[in-house]
Amino acid sequence: MSGVLHFAAPQRYERIVPPWIPNAHFVVAVSGVAEALGAIGLLLTRTRRAAGFGLIALLIAVFPANVHMLELSASDGSSSVWRAWLWVRLPLQAVLIWWVWRVAARPGLEAPAA
């Protein structure tokens, strides 16, 4: 779902791309496609492991955007509740990486032999 949101509401994602990364619009589009393809890849036995590695790389790559979003929240007058959530979200990336790895390492769900 999040991959689709990269296209439905790209401004939301472009805003949090750190300024040192060029062409935020392109980066958001590529990351949205990667996220959607990775999610589909996790569903398929043949592509599950590769999709997992790709999604883990993506989660690591977008970490600077999460940090930048936290930095922006301090300067744009966001609520303390929102800023607290953004702090919690940073270590949550590690949990998401673990979760993706667990799914990617899961054996296929092939039908039993007759």
Side-chain angles (χ1 to χ4, degrees):
M1 192 62 171
S2 182
V4 172
L5 287 174
H6 282 69
F7 298 97
Q11 307 81 6
R12 206 173 116 184
Y13 293 93
E14 290 169 11
R15 181 175 184 267
I16 65 170
V17 173
W20 51 269
I21 297 177
N23 201 345
H25 182 74
F26 177 74
V27 169
V28 167
V30 169
S31 64
V33 168
E35 196 167 324
L37 290 177
I40 292 167
L42 285 178
L43 297 173
L44 306 172
T45 305
R46 297 184 94 163
T47 58
R48 186 171 294 139
R49 188 170 298 265
F53 283 125
L55 286 172
I56 288 168
L58 181 63
L59 286 164
I60 293 167
V62 301
F63 190 77
N66 294 335
V67 172
H68 188 60
M69 185 171 20
L70 177 60
E71 292 169 343
L72 290 173
S73 74
S75 64
D76 69 5
S78 295
S79 73
S80 58
V81 172
W82 178 246
R83 284 194 307 272
W85 164 247
L86 294 176
W87 275 107
V88 168
R89 189 170 186 236
L90 293 179
L92 187 61
Q93 287 292 104
V95 174
L96 291 173
I97 289 169
W98 172 82
W99 190 18
V100 167
W101 175 248
R102 291 283 306 197
V103 171
R106 185 180 66 178
L109 302 175
E110 294 85 10

